[in-house]
């Protein structure tokens, strides 16, 4: 919550911030130092105060009914219905229990690795909810590396399933992909997805910066995206 939350009487923009596959809702705070980075940006006048929501998605890939035992039988992971929980329970709860500006222009979604996929999935499946989405080292090819593609469609799959074209691009949120140039896990996925988005003329930002699939990269990527987010949240 913003430092002036108790006294300001204001309503705030809201950022939904997603974690990666081996982490949980505490990761961005404990490993990513997201509170300090955000407070520094607010104090430096980069962005106005906003609320951050950090859900725990476990191994759900932020979709419904993903059963990891199909891929890795030794993993005992329940078929979580994260997508339904997030859209039908958590977001309405946040909007009814916290002073958030619930309109599209003040709601954003960002994530890293699995969470970068989740942010992209929700941004493009529910584009009326978000003004901005950043995928940091995101697994944007979805389930193509697992064979489970029906429940974890790639960003390209989503565009094709939803029938997005240049006539509907203006209805989609601002989209940023930020991935390290030495990322051994998601680097190729991001390059291929960027090439697809370029091929269909979808306006997006693709940052390929020095780095790998690690927290030192993700923290810098978070700081890089704050001025972009401010274009929406500061209005």
């Amino acid at each position: 919550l913003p430092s002036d939350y108790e006294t300001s009487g204001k309503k705030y923009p809201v950022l939904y911030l997603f974690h990666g596959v081996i982490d949980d809702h505490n990761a961005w705070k404990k490993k990513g130092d997201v509170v300090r980075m955000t407070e520094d940006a607010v104090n430096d006048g980069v962005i106005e105060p906003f609320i951050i929501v950090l859900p725990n998605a476990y191994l759900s890939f932020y979709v419904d009914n993903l059963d990891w035992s199909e891929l890795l039988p030794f993993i005992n992971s329940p078929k979580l219905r994260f997508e339904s929980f997030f859209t039908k329970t958590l977001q309405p709860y946040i909007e009814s229990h916290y002073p958030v500006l619930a309109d599209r222009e003040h709601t954003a979604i960002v994530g890293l690795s699995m969470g970068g996929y989740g942010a992209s999935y929700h941004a493009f499946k529910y584009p009326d909810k978000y003004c901005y989405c950043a995928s940091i080292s995101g697994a944007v090819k979805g389930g193509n590396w697992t064979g489970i593609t029906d429940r974890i469609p790639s960003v390209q799959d989503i565009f094709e399933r939803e029938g997005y074209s240049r006539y509907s691009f203006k209805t989609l949120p601002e989209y940023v992909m930020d991935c390290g140039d030495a990322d051994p896990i998601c680097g190729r996925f991001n390059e291929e997805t960027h090439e697809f988005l370029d091929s269909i003329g979808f306006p997006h930002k693709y940052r390929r910066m020095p780095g790998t699939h690690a927290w030192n990269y993700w923290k810098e990527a978070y700081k890089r995206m704050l001025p972009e987010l401010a274009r929406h949240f500061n209005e």
Side-chain angles (χ1 to χ4, degrees):
L1 299 173
S3 58
D4 64 350
Y5 173 81
E6 296 289 348
T7 59
S8 72
K10 297 189 301 185
K11 288 190 173 183
Y12 298 92
V14 59
L15 169 65
Y16 294 95
L17 187 58
F18 289 173
H19 63 80
V21 73
I22 62 171
D23 285 315
D24 62 19
H25 58 291
N26 292 305
W28 271 106
K29 291 189 293 182
K30 293 183 176 179
K31 300 178 183 179
D33 204 14
V34 71
V35 174
R36 181 192 59 80
M37 290 191 297
T38 304
E39 289 178 345
D40 286 349
V42 170
N43 292 335
D44 291 342
V46 173
I47 192 168
E48 294 296 314
F50 59 95
I51 288 174
I52 304 175
V53 179
L54 302 111
N56 190 354
Y58 300 90
L59 291 172
S60 70
F61 250 79
Y62 299 88
V63 299
D64 276 350
N65 298 326
L66 174 62
D67 186 354
W68 275 91
S69 66
E70 298 174 24
L71 177 68
L72 302 171
F74 56 86
I75 291 182
N76 182 21
S77 178
K79 290 185 178 180
L80 300 174
R81 302 188 68 231
F82 181 86
E83 181 180 350
S84 294
F85 161 73
F86 182 67
T87 58
K88 298 177 182 179
T89 301
L90 182 59
Q91 286 181 305
Y93 180 89
I94 295 297
E95 292 170 1
S96 63
H97 286 73
Y98 292 88
V100 299
L101 295 164
D103 61 296
R104 178 182 189 265
E105 193 57 25
H106 294 95
T107 306
I109 192 165
V110 172
L112 69 86
S113 195
M114 178 184 75
Y117 170 79
S120 303
Y121 174 87
H122 283 267
F124 293 131
K125 191 166 181 185
Y126 306 98
D128 58 320
K129 291 181 176 290
Y130 308 103
C131 62
Y132 176 90
C133 172
S135 168
I136 299 172
S137 305
V140 288
K141 292 289 280 188
N144 285 294
W145 58 279
T146 67
I148 305 175
T149 56
D150 56 338
R151 277 147 293 169
I152 322 176
S154 68
V155 167
Q156 179 173 343
D157 292 335
I158 297 169
F159 266 70
E160 292 173 348
R161 290 181 187 185
E162 298 293 334
Y164 292 140
S165 68
R166 60 189 179 91
Y167 302 105
S168 54
F169 288 162
K170 64 182 179 180
T171 67
L172 302 179
E174 179 181 356
Y175 187 53
V176 176
M177 300 168 63
D178 192 316
C179 190
D181 60 1
D183 188 323
I185 299 173
C186 294
R188 178 171 57 87
F189 300 157
N190 280 262
E191 187 70 27
E192 292 173 355
T193 300
H194 161 63
E195 291 173 357
F196 164 73
L197 295 176
D198 253 2
S199 73
I200 62 172
F202 177 63
H204 65 287
K205 183 174 289 185
Y206 177 53
R207 279 195 288 265
R208 189 172 174 84
M209 307 291 286
T212 183
H213 204 77
W215 275 106
N216 59 350
Y217 186 88
W218 300 330
K219 288 190 284 188
E220 292 302 313
Y222 181 83
K223 289 189 284 188
R224 283 192 289 269
M225 71 97 190
L226 286 172
E228 299 163 346
L229 191 57
R231 292 200 298 269
H232 302 276
F233 281 6
N234 288 5
E235 292 183 357

